[in-house]
Amino acid sequence: MSRFVYVMLDGVGVGALPDAAAFGDEGADTLGNLAALVDLRLPNLAALGLGNLHPLRGVPPAGRPLALPGRLVELSAGKDTTNGHWEHMGVVTATPFPTYPQGFPEEVLAPFRALIGRDVLGNKPASGTEIIAELGEEQVATARPIVYTSADSVFQIAAHVDVVPLEELYRWCRLARDLLQGDHAVARVIARPFSGRPGAYVRTKDRKDFSLAPPSPTYLDQLHERGIPVVGLGKIHQIFAGRGVAEELKVSSNEDNLDLLLALLAERREGLIMTNLVDFDMAWGHRNDVEGFAEGLEAVDRRMPRLLDLLGPDDRLLITADHGVDPTTVSTDHTREYVPLLYYPRPTTAPDASYQGFMRDTGATAFAALTGEEPTLGGRVIERLQPERGWAPYPTLAPCRPREAYALSGAEVETGARVLEERFGAAPQTAVILGSGLDGVFAGSEEVPAIEYRE
């Protein structure tokens, strides 16, 4: 039994899928659009072949990548974390999970209120940080939980830890999970505890997801049945409702996650070590934080040399994602995209081309590597170099223009103005600019008075 290290870059997509327009995601490209805005410094991921699987400004294709690069297609009807992970492990979701852009109907809330013995606050799609800022003080005063959702299929419950003990919040989530079945079977019920004082509420690290169980066996189940240890870092255990995961290791951030992953490898831990780097999705993607997303990628890149050093000759490393979450778009939702494949070490007989396959190829490959058996839940073993969708030539990149050469066209300016007006209303007639953040923008304009800072 070799070791198989499986790293999920949560939300790091690589270009819109052919059906992206049906999901409102035409033009989405998490990595590509990010690279167009930020100077990415990813030398180690570039050496593995990140620039060989997708055109990325500043990340050139490697002449001989260390890993097999590729792009994988999602077949499931959705772009959720849950169905993305399930599909990687052999389960395709044919029916999308329900979402609630108008909030939850009374047929859901009435029995939930009865089960917990109190009314709720909120009941709308919202950012988690914004809704506790809006309703946190009322939650503390009334002890009513804040119930909210997002563009994802989630039922989230937020409560202050000094008002609703953590175990009580988890109990409410279990009640909601049992209630939300059938037509209202959301992918995840999520506990969102927070702490602090009015004006300074913060979410704690005790978030907990209560996911639907996969509707059929996964490759994790099959590994467990054969006695192959499966260690899940971060939210892996919760996404699969605990099934097939022998050991759950909690982490608080990508950095914490990578520290623990390297420690497990140094201990020579065996079996499947599967981790999810959730900050790309939760901390940066959903908040359209382009700079944070880029810095997160660079942090992963810095760990790559040590990770590769800890792998033995029979070990395998697979890096992929579950969906996109393009931080450069107006939307803060997940995006329907191809996901990357970096499979290390690169098979010696691999052609100088990019593997084009399906998500479930990854689970099939892990299963075959760890058991020596033929996979039975769909997907092809990547090392056999027979991708169902074939091979794609490595991309070629045109020389990059200097950053200062970029300029907006008149049409782009008009589009930007229209989007701003639609979101925020008519433009104001007066702007007060504090500090020097826009220094030089209005140079030469006689209509803009300036006030010395000391005044």
Side-chain angles (χ1 to χ4, degrees), residues 174-425:
R174 293 187 190 96
L175 292 172
R177 177 70 281 168
D178 291 341
L179 175 67
L180 293 164
Q181 303 292 331
D183 292 341
H184 297 295
V186 297
R188 288 172 292 158
V189 174
I190 306 177
R192 292 288 198 176
F194 64 93
S195 62
R197 296 175 296 178
Y201 291 127
V202 294
R203 296 193 290 190
T204 76
K205 297 178 180 179
D206 297 306
R207 162 186 170 157
K208 189 170 184 178
D209 292 26
F210 297 79
S211 296
L212 279 177
S216 57
T218 71
Y219 281 119
L220 298 186
D221 293 320
Q222 294 192 348
L223 290 172
H224 182 73
E225 291 168 0
R226 288 155 178 77
I228 306 294
V230 175
V231 181
L233 282 67
K235 56 196 262 187
I236 295 297
H237 182 276
Q238 296 172 19
I239 290 170
F240 290 92
R243 275 195 10 207
V245 182
E247 185 176 1
E248 177 186 14
L249 298 176
K250 295 183 178 180
V251 295
S252 58
S253 66
N254 280 8
E255 287 292 311
D256 185 26
N257 196 319
L258 292 166
D259 285 341
L260 182 54
L261 175 61
L262 295 178
L264 292 173
L265 292 175
E267 294 172 7
R268 301 298 307 168
R269 190 70 69 93
E270 293 185 330
L272 176 63
I273 304 173
M274 188 174 185
T275 185
N276 175 291
L277 300 182
V278 71
D279 287 351
F280 290 112
D281 180 85
M282 182 178 69
W284 306 313
H286 282 304
R287 299 179 185 179
N288 287 351
D289 183 351
V290 170
E291 289 79 10
F293 207 110
E295 290 168 4
L297 287 169
E298 291 173 4
V300 172
D301 186 85
R302 288 192 293 271
R303 302 300 187 95
M304 282 296 115
R306 177 58 177 161
L307 197 162
L308 298 183
D309 285 345
L310 290 169
L311 297 177
D314 295 325
D315 297 336
R316 297 291 181 268
L317 167 67
L318 192 149
I319 300 173
T320 188
D322 50 349
H323 52 73
V325 60
D326 190 336
T328 72
T329 64
V330 173
S331 169
T332 59
D333 188 11
H334 292 165
T335 41
R336 178 79 168 177
E337 297 186 49
Y338 293 95
V339 297
L341 168 70
L342 291 173
Y343 186 66
Y344 177 88
R346 183 174 181 270
T348 57
T349 57
D352 291 330
S354 173
Y355 183 100
Q356 306 293 296
F358 292 95
M359 278 183 168
R360 53 189 178 182
D361 293 354
T362 68
T365 301
F367 176 81
L370 292 167
T371 66
E373 300 178 28
E374 286 296 312
T376 59
L377 301 180
R380 297 194 176 190
V381 178
I382 293 167
E383 284 197 28
R384 296 176 186 168
L385 305 177
Q386 296 177 329
E388 192 169 345
R389 298 181 62 247
W391 298 90
Y394 292 155
T396 56
L397 295 181
C400 292
R401 290 180 292 170
R403 178 65 66 188
E404 59 270 17
Y406 281 81
L408 293 175
S409 68
E412 288 171 321
V413 170
E414 291 175 4
T415 299
R418 186 177 67 253
V419 170
L420 290 171
E421 187 168 357
E422 289 171 353
R423 281 191 85 170
F424 302 114

Side-chain angles (χ1 to χ4, degrees), residues 16-28 76-79 96 333-337:
L17 283 169
D19 62 356
F23 293 81
D25 296 326
E26 188 173 11
S76 294
K79 51 181 179 177
D333 188 11
H334 292 165
T335 41
R336 178 79 168 177
E337 297 186 49

